[in-house]
Amino acid sequence: MPETTPKGLTGLAFGGDYNPEQWPEAVWQEDVRLMREAGVTMVSVGIFSWALLEPAPGSYDFGWLDRVLDLLHENGIRVDLGTPTVAPPAWFYREHPEALPVAADGTRYAFGSRGAVCHSDPHYRAAAANITERLAERYGAHPALALWHVHNEYGVPVSACYCDTCAAHFRRWLTRVYGTVDAVNEAWGTAFWGQHYTDLDQIDPPRLTPTVGNPGQALDYKRFADATMRENFMAERDILHRLAPGIPVTTNFMTALSQCDSVDYWAWGREVDLVSNDHYLITDGRRTHVNLAMAADLTRSVAGGAPWLLLEHSTSGVNWQPRNPAKAPGQMARNSLAHVARGSDGAMFFQWRQSRRGAEKFHSAMLPHAGTDSRVWREVVELGSSVDALSEIRGTRTVADAAVLWDWHSWWAQGLDWRPSDDHDPRERADAFYEALYDRHLTVDFAHPEADLSAYPLVVVPALYLTTEAAGRNLTRYVEGGGTLVVSYFSGIVDEHDAVHEGAYPGPLRDVLGLTVEEFSPLLAGERVRLAGPDGSELAGDVWSEFVVPRGAETVWT
């Protein structure tokens, strides 16, 4: 079995992304001196360094990275070493412009950002495997190496490409999943609008069409894009396992529903040795500390309850939102320790030293532009001491009081075009129910709808538009076993192909809820509907209403 904890790290991880290539070597000695002062135990290195490590095809320069890793080791700092495959060099794109991704409208993205990758492109896959092999061969036995960090934030900013290479790859994927073109026609309901195919070679990605395209095809393309990214991760992971046994492999997730909606983290959690996550507060008017707790609980759940690692968050403000306020005094520590309290074996940041150039020069860092005579630095040093004092809780587990069901495939399906109301937002439902549980001091696990739920006295289903028959049977067994189930509206509507379940809504949840829904009647902008309770109390709704017929259920509010 692969190792699941960073090698050689005896306490909690504390540190951040370290990008020494942005600075003269004379600065490196100061960096490690200040890292020791702050209590840094691990840093992430080399994530965006492909162009420096391989400045020309097949020509390598590892000297600077050798010196960095040696320096860190001499100072007792462990290394999370990146494979730099999120940012191929300019020379690679000159040779293989077809490796740049294509948008659904046919626009090909240009070089000059990050994450501009067609994950189906064979030239990219070969080049990524090659640089990963070179790194593993050179550093797999380096005494500083604690963890491998593959790529960076898969799915951000591009997950799906719509080029011809992806079209051919998509057809191969459909062959593996469905076998025949007739099975694809059945799953997608292509009899509607005359979309019937007679050969898989007739199928393209869901590119820009005059009006809404086939929703089954669009949903499967999201699955395909996610699976294709995961194939590339697994290819790099397997190289690292083969050439550097004993070193765990991770990639940084972005599980918060406010940050990434294109990755099925249930599937990814099964493929990494250690689940790690990046979390950034979204200043959208919501209670940010609740979003923080929710992201941590979701990440722990993706890890199956095992310890995980907060690999990135910010010491203060970020730079990529419309408005980027600084964190208040003490907020950095509160945020960091909230993740630790929910199972993270450490608190890491982006980044160590604040950049002077580039797109993220206004993103906060452990060592800010203001230097060591600053509030942020003093709080970093204080936090490092606090994290060190918590070393004894490393490896412990968090026990939850309730479960919230969440399925990324259902979220993808709900986000397709032409639904009953644009005002219905699955993320809002998840946030609202999680916040209600949080305010009642209940610790939450998230669970897949088909997972074993028997350990939870309460299961909440905030938004499960796509509900498989297996999930319906699972929830029925849960209630029959004495569990309490809470289900919000517009759940149980379609199957895994976005086909409406036969009979009245809510499909496989009809019997367990003891009701049917004859019609949806979402509210217009500014419209409200009154809810009357048995004791004369009242509430109001402003998004949704529906015509419900009780069939065994007791009516409490109307």
Side-chain angles (χ1 to χ4, degrees):
M1 291 290 291
E3 292 294 324
T4 59
T5 57
K7 183 178 180 182
L9 194 64
T10 56
L12 298 181
F14 182 67
D17 284 33
Y18 181 39
N19 298 291
E21 64 271 27
Q22 297 180 16
W23 304 91
E25 284 201 37
V27 177
W28 299 359
Q29 291 290 343
E30 180 188 25
D31 280 332
V32 295
R33 177 181 63 81
L34 292 175
M35 286 178 189
R36 292 199 306 270
E37 180 180 331
V40 167
T41 59
M42 187 168 75
V43 292
S44 301
V45 177
I47 297 167
F48 293 98
S49 299
W50 194 345
L52 298 179
L53 295 170
E54 189 178 7
S59 176
Y60 305 101
D61 178 9
F62 293 113
W64 68 272
L65 188 55
D66 290 346
R67 296 191 294 277
V68 168
L69 266 60
D70 290 346
L71 180 62
L72 292 167
H73 176 61
E74 290 164 7
N75 285 272
I77 298 166
R78 309 298 294 158
V79 172
D80 166 37
L81 185 57
T83 66
T85 51
V86 69
W91 61 256
F92 172 80
Y93 288 119
R94 284 290 182 182
E95 290 191 354
H96 304 290
E98 68 278 9
L100 287 162
V102 174
D105 66 359
T107 302
R108 188 177 293 276
Y109 293 106
F111 172 78
S113 180
R114 68 169 192 172
V117 171
C118 167
H119 283 277
S120 296
D121 183 74
H123 303 102
Y124 167 75
R125 290 184 166 206
N130 177 69
I131 190 64
T132 300
E133 288 176 353
R134 302 287 81 76
L135 287 165
E137 289 168 347
R138 192 172 188 92
Y139 300 112
H142 195 285
L145 184 62
L147 183 66
W148 287 108
H149 181 307
V150 170
H151 203 268
N152 184 74
E153 295 179 345
Y154 279 97
V156 178
V158 177
S159 57
C161 171
Y162 297 81
C163 71
D164 288 342
T165 301
C166 286
H169 192 183
F170 183 44
R171 295 177 198 120
R172 293 192 296 272
W173 183 86
L174 290 171
T175 300
R176 290 198 302 272
V177 172
Y178 292 104
T180 67
V181 68
D182 290 339
V184 174
N185 283 318
E186 174 65 22
W188 292 358
T190 56
F192 186 80
W193 278 2
Q195 296 169 347
H196 188 80
Y197 298 102
T198 57
D199 194 292
L200 287 171
D201 286 341
Q202 298 165 0
I203 299 175
D204 284 324
R207 294 166 174 152
L208 186 66
T209 51
T211 186
V212 175
N214 185 291
Q217 178 189 20
L219 178 57
D220 266 347
Y221 205 73
K222 291 179 181 292
R223 291 175 171 133
F224 159 75
D226 175 62
T228 302
M229 291 189 293
R230 198 161 58 251
E231 285 175 8
N232 285 354
F233 164 77
M234 292 164 64
E236 292 188 42
R237 177 205 63 193
D238 291 349
I239 291 169
L240 297 170
H241 279 169
R242 174 170 53 85
L243 297 177
I247 306 297
V249 180
T250 192
T251 184
N252 45 339
F253 294 168
M254 298 192 76
T255 62
L257 306 186
S258 55
Q259 291 177 249
C260 183
D261 63 358
S262 60
V263 175
D264 176 7
Y265 286 116
W266 293 125
W268 283 75
R270 296 189 291 269
E271 302 300 339
V272 296
D273 300 331
L274 169 67
V275 166
S276 64
N277 194 53
D278 296 353
H279 182 263
Y280 294 98
L281 298 177
I282 304 298
T283 53
D284 60 359
R286 306 184 197 217
R287 297 166 67 192
T288 55
H289 63 287
V290 181
N291 173 268
L292 180 156
M294 181 176 174
D297 284 342
L298 183 51
T299 308
R300 183 188 66 253
S301 302
V302 166
W308 56 280
L309 180 58
L310 175 65
L311 206 52
E312 286 185 28
H313 70 312
S314 64
T315 58
S316 191
V318 297
N319 70 313
W320 37 264
Q321 300 181 73
R323 298 164 190 83
N324 298 284
K327 289 181 178 176
Q331 191 176 357
M332 178 205 310
R334 188 278 310 271
N335 293 2
S336 300
L337 299 180
H339 286 286
V340 173
R342 286 174 163 76
S344 175
D345 268 355
M348 305 277 285
F349 294 92
F350 179 85
Q351 58 181 325
W352 162 251
R353 183 182 284 268
Q354 194 168 11
S355 299
R356 291 185 56 222
R357 298 173 177 85
E360 294 188 282
K361 56 183 171 287
F362 297 120
H363 190 294
S364 62
M366 299 176 77
L367 181 59
H369 292 311
T372 56
D373 187 17
S374 64
R375 175 180 67 85
V376 166
W377 173 254
R378 288 187 287 272
E379 290 195 12
V380 164
V381 174
E382 183 179 357
L383 178 60
S385 178
S386 298
V387 169
D388 179 62
L390 291 169
S391 293
E392 67 185 66
I393 70 169
R394 180 173 180 260
T396 57
R397 291 182 173 238
T398 303
V399 179
D401 303 300
V404 171
L405 299 195
W406 186 256
D407 179 23
W408 277 274
H409 292 228
S410 180
W411 194 15
W412 297 342
Q414 174 58 51
L416 299 175
D417 292 320
W418 287 9
R419 298 305 187 236
S421 174
D422 286 346
D423 294 329
H424 169 59
D425 178 2
R427 182 196 157 194
E428 182 278 331
R429 291 285 78 202
D431 284 349
F433 277 95
Y434 182 89
E435 187 169 14
L437 294 165
Y438 179 96
D439 287 341
R440 287 159 176 80
H441 309 292
L442 297 175
T443 301
V444 170
D445 276 349
F446 285 80
H448 188 275
E450 297 178 16
D452 180 9
L453 304 172
S454 58
Y456 303 103
L458 172 65
V459 170
V460 176
V461 182
L464 199 60
Y465 162 77
L466 186 159
T467 306
T468 63
E469 293 286 352
R473 291 192 297 270
N474 190 41
L475 294 179
T476 299
R477 285 194 301 269
Y478 169 74
V479 172
E480 288 173 347
T484 298
L485 180 68
V486 177
V487 181
S488 187
Y489 69 88
F490 208 43
S491 295
I493 308 304
V494 300
D495 66 11
E496 61 269 32
H497 304 299
D498 198 49
V500 173
H501 288 286
E502 288 189 17
Y505 310 128
L509 302 182
R510 284 192 302 261
D511 293 340
V512 72
L513 295 179
L515 57 83
T516 58
V517 177
E518 292 188 349
E519 286 185 277
F520 310 128
S521 187
L523 304 178
L524 302 177
E527 189 177 7
R528 297 172 72 83
V529 63
R530 184 173 64 89
L531 243 66
D535 58 357
S537 56
E538 291 189 1
L539 295 172
D542 59 2
V543 170
W544 192 270
S545 70
E546 56 193 20
F547 295 95
V548 178
V549 179
R551 300 187 186 277
E554 177 188 353
T555 301
V556 181
W557 291 72
T558 57

